[in-house]
Amino acid sequence: MKLITAIIKPFKLDDVKAALEAFGVTGMTVSEASGYGRQRGHTEVYRGAEYEVDLVPKIRIDVLTDDADAEDVIDVIVKAAQTGKIGDGKVWSVPVDTVVRVRTGERGVAAL
Amino acid sequence: MDPTTHVNWGNTAWMLTATALVLLMTPGLAFFYGGMVRAKNVLAMLMQNFICMGIVSVLWVIDLFSIAFGPDTLGGFIGDAARYFGLHHGADLWSTGNGVPTTIIAAFQITFAIITAALITGAVADRLKFAPFIVFVTAWSILVYAPIAHWVWGGGWLAQHSVEDFAGGTVVHINAGAAGVALTLVLGRRIGWPNERMRPHNVPFVLLGAGLLWFGWLGFNAGSELAADQVAGYALVNTIVATAAAMLGWLVVERIRDGHPTTLGAASGLVAGLVAITPACAFVSPLGAIVVGAAAGVLCALAVSLKFKARIDDSLDVFAVHLIGGVVGALSIGFLGDSAINSAGHDGLFYGGGFLQLGRQAMGVFSVLAYDFVVTFLIAKAIDKVMGLRVSRDVELEGLDINLHAESAYDFGAPATHATTPVVAAARTKVDA
């Protein structure tokens, strides 16, 4: 099993969610995140005083999949989240040892 | 005395209304300021403004009205403190020359005393202790606000020298601005200022507050005529158009200097315009008001950078907006005063009056500024010595709201909501038992 984490632009959440649902992903966890990559932050101006805002708002999506679907899910997310502009985000996956469904106690792929 | 023969119903109805309008300005100011501070200090900022409504109202009714507006004593320095003590003088309180009961004038003036004290808080945001601030507001209202109100409006020495201030350029704005700077010098800079970024946490609050201020300010300026008449009409239209021109002026500066016109700039510019037209609103023509407003918008927008050069942490720009705006407005009467608008006023330099009125206005500005700055500084130093005016480093870093008031402004997170359950349950159990 794999845990796929995607950091995307907030306004791309609906597109990514719809694409994952169309692909057959049945659940995900979405959280608000802040961060920066190569684009760094942005500049804001209040009464003439400039502020470098380093951390920009992002959305973090976590999806658990079986090993076979992992690469396809990553592709689906990247395709849906892409604008081609700097700051589009990143997607990565890590191996997962154990998954348990709290309601039933099912373990492993059956719990996905 | 039969009140029905002395009361002018139209004037009285307008002053009742104007009092309510001006009272709303302080909650408006609270949001104007509250939006500009960081989220951890917004309740403390709101509270500093609201507590002025608490303290000053009580002081005013007990005796401050009498000190400010009682018959002249001490050579024009203060009014007779015995005349209106407790606002309980029977027939004395029935009516003024305009046929408005004196109780209503006293109530109208409460709202001015409140907002002047509240305006000071913007200069020292994020670092004031609560109880010492209450002591400060009390001492300041008695020793600074009431005497200066008497000098200018109560028939005191500046009024006797024909210094004109229709609704509070000197009494309210220069007064609050100079006090804010003095208090900032006593308190010192916030930890991290100016290197750490301290962005406004809620700009929509700032615009909401600015809108409420503009609304209430129509009562502030047009109400200061104390009558529903032609002069009140000029005050009203000038308060609208000068404010509009100041907003435009500030935004033009931002567009040229910073690249973008900002919403915070629009709010700041309109407040600068309100400040500047306040002393002049019933002495200049509507076209003159546009000039006053535009000048204030541009000059106040340029003045916000001075605090960085002087390294004085006037946190929310009380100096740039209120002191500079107040000076622009007070002096503008010396240039643009037009006795055709108001027979009680004098012609300024551009209307054939020469330098006479300009000189009087400058004397008014300087006297208020100097007295206020020195006395405020001494009051603040004394309170700081005895009680400490500034919160501890830990409190400042963690935030004033949780430490001074045991509250937090925003509860958007589910974990925070659920984590409060045991304490609430325990408190309820006690009440039920």
Side-chain angles (χ1 to χ4, degrees):
Chain A
M1 294 170 294
K2 291 271 199 297
L3 171 65
I4 296 167
T5 299
I7 306 295
I8 62 167
K9 286 185 169 167
F11 73 91
K12 277 294 185 182
L13 174 60
D14 284 345
D15 291 345
V16 171
K17 192 163 136 294
L20 285 171
E21 278 166 6
F23 179 78
V25 170
T26 53
M28 67 186 71
T29 303
V30 175
S31 33
E32 291 179 27
S34 312
Y36 64 87
R38 281 191 208 163
Q39 92 275 26
R40 302 299 300 190
H42 59 271
T43 304
E44 296 183 4
V45 184
Y46 298 95
R47 284 185 173 166
E50 281 196 6
Y51 295 90
E52 291 296 331
V53 181
D54 297 330
L55 300 178
V56 291
K58 295 285 170 187
I59 288 288
R60 174 183 173 131
I61 302 173
D62 290 294
V63 182
L64 285 164
T65 70
D66 59 30
D67 291 330
D69 287 338
E71 283 305 314
D72 290 340
V73 169
I74 290 173
D75 289 344
V76 165
I77 294 173
V78 169
K79 191 160 168 246
Q82 201 167 55
T83 68
K85 296 205 181 93
I86 198 160
D88 269 354
K90 282 199 172 43
V91 184
W92 63 85
S93 72
V94 290
V96 172
D97 291 338
T98 309
V99 176
V100 182
R101 175 170 279 121
V102 173
R103 175 170 58 86
T104 59
E106 290 165 285
R107 286 178 166 262
V109 177
L112 290 176
Chain B
M1 193 182 292
D2 176 9
T4 55
T5 60
H6 292 269
V7 171
N8 177 310
W9 308 117
N11 289 349
T12 299
W14 164 231
M15 293 313 296
L16 288 164
T17 310
T19 302
L21 284 166
V22 185
L23 188 67
L24 187 62
M25 286 171 64
T26 298
L29 180 72
F31 278 92
F32 180 71
Y33 281 168
M36 276 189 269
V37 301
R38 289 163 292 171
K40 63 183 178 182
N41 298 326
V42 57
L43 292 177
M45 189 77 242
L46 296 176
M47 188 66 159
Q48 283 168 16
N49 285 265
F50 274 80
I51 202 67
C52 289
M53 303 178 84
I55 306 160
V56 178
S57 303
V58 171
L59 292 173
W60 194 258
V61 167
I62 292 174
D63 208 31
L64 285 188
F65 177 69
S66 199
I67 293 173
F69 289 90
D72 208 28
T73 58
L74 299 181
F77 186 73
I78 56 168
D80 180 356
R83 175 63 184 273
Y84 297 120
F85 179 80
L87 298 185
H88 185 70
H89 273 64
D92 270 4
L93 289 178
W94 275 120
S95 169
T96 64
N98 289 330
V100 180
T102 307
T103 42
I104 296 176
I105 305 299
F108 181 65
Q109 289 296 339
I110 289 176
T111 61
F112 285 63
I114 291 169
I115 196 164
T116 308
L119 282 167
I120 301 169
T121 62
V124 287
D126 302 349
R127 55 204 191 277
L128 264 183
K129 270 195 206 166
F130 189 62
F133 174 66
I134 290 177
V135 176
F136 173 81
V137 169
T138 304
W140 190 83
S141 297
I142 296 168
L143 297 174
V144 179
Y145 184 82
I148 289 179
H150 182 77
W151 297 359
V152 180
W153 291 335
W157 71 277
L158 287 177
Q160 291 160 19
H161 284 87
S162 298
V163 172
E164 291 174 6
D165 179 359
F166 195 73
T170 52
V171 179
V172 175
H173 296 288
I174 293 175
N175 206 359
V181 174
L183 199 51
T184 311
L185 291 175
V186 173
L187 280 178
R189 300 186 280 263
R190 285 172 292 180
I191 297 166
W193 188 87
N195 299 322
E196 190 185 316
R197 57 166 202 272
M198 298 175 180
R199 284 185 289 167
H201 90 286
N202 190 330
V203 177
F205 270 2
V206 179
L207 278 102
L208 174 70
L212 288 172
L213 282 169
W214 198 347
F215 177 77
W217 222 297
L218 299 177
F220 195 88
N221 285 359
S224 289
E225 172 64 358
L226 310 181
D229 62 11
Q230 180 80 2
V231 172
Y234 276 117
L236 184 80
V237 76
N238 287 348
T239 303
I240 294 172
V241 79
T243 305
M247 186 204 291
L248 301 178
W250 189 298
L251 291 176
V252 167
V253 171
E254 285 197 332
R255 178 68 183 80
I256 294 168
R257 181 186 62 191
D258 311 325
H260 297 84
T262 68
T263 52
L264 181 63
S268 309
L270 82 84
V271 172
L274 288 165
V275 169
I277 200 58
T278 291
C281 62
F283 298 122
V284 301
S285 70
L287 289 178
I290 292 175
V291 175
V292 174
V298 169
L299 292 171
C300 294
L302 295 173
V304 290
S305 62
L306 294 175
K307 67 177 181 182
F308 295 105
K309 294 200 176 79
R311 312 263 309 160
I312 294 171
D313 183 11
D314 167 17
S315 310
L316 309 181
D317 298 306
V318 175
F319 168 80
V321 175
H322 295 276
L323 183 52
I324 297 295
V327 170
V328 168
L331 295 182
S332 76
I333 299 168
F335 293 103
L336 293 162
D338 180 358
S339 59
I341 299 295
N342 184 348
S343 57
H346 297 85
D347 285 323
L349 183 62
F350 299 157
Y351 287 80
F355 286 95
L356 180 62
Q357 193 58 31
L358 186 60
R360 290 168 175 161
Q361 295 304 113
M363 178 182 73
V365 167
F366 179 77
S367 311
V368 170
L369 232 169
Y371 175 82
D372 176 17
F373 185 84
V374 170
V375 178
T376 305
F377 190 85
L378 294 176
I379 294 171
K381 267 288 181 204
I383 296 172
D384 195 40
K385 273 262 186 290
V386 177
M387 306 175 77
L389 262 173
R390 183 166 178 160
V391 295
S392 71
R393 182 184 168 83
D394 287 351
V395 168
E396 187 174 335
L397 291 175
E398 192 183 17
L400 268 53
D401 293 359
I402 195 74
N403 284 292
L404 301 188
H405 304 298
E407 295 170 298
S408 35
Y410 304 107
D411 184 8
F412 292 146
T417 308
H418 291 292
T420 58
T421 310
V423 179
V424 172
R428 275 189 68 92
T429 310
K430 268 188 224 159
V431 171
D432 292 342

